[in-house]
Amino acid sequence: MMKMLSSTGLIAALSFGALGALPTSVSAQDLELRLGPDGVRPVIRDRDREYRRGCSPGEARAAARDEGFRRPEVVRVTDRSVTVEGMTRNGPDRIRFANRPGCPEI
């Protein structure tokens, strides 16, 4: 009986030891400690970035440039969308983005 308990304990210890090699994270307020093969690393998070709401005008202009607009200008911002005007190969054009993080195109 004692031998079975000690072998079970050994298996449990080896299992938890193997799990310790996997990267894990523990967080408390704005400080996050990451445990991994390279040891313990503190990471300080910026709460303002995490809870950012919507698509900023700068992000909308950058997204419009990625879509081929030259000299993009934000002309309208509502709770639901951000409208950008600029020049394309076909002349003046307009594009709308959802006012959500990541600025998805509507």
Side-chain angles (χ1 to χ4, degrees), residues 1-8:
M1 179 74 170
M2 188 60 135
K3 185 173 183 175
M4 188 172 85
L5 287 176
S6 65
S7 65
T8 305

Side-chain angles (χ1 to χ4, degrees), residues 23-95:
T24 58
S25 65
V26 178
S27 63
Q29 295 178 352
D30 289 340
L31 177 68
E32 182 177 332
L33 297 176
R34 292 195 180 169
L35 306 173
D38 56 344
V40 178
R41 292 183 305 134
V43 177
I44 299 174
R45 295 181 296 163
D46 186 8
R47 284 191 178 266
D48 293 337
R49 287 187 181 186
E50 286 183 20
Y51 298 110
R52 184 174 46 100
R53 297 170 42 152
C55 175
S56 73
E59 288 175 316
R61 283 191 299 272
R65 277 189 212 101
D66 291 344
E67 294 295 324
F69 279 71
R70 294 186 308 267
R71 296 182 311 219
E73 183 178 332
V74 175
V75 293
R76 185 173 186 208
V77 177
T78 66
D79 290 340
R80 297 177 144 236
S81 68
V82 178
T83 305
V84 179
E85 289 182 351
M87 297 297 288
T88 63
R89 283 192 270 167
N90 300 328
D93 202 357
R94 168 183 300 187
I95 189 169

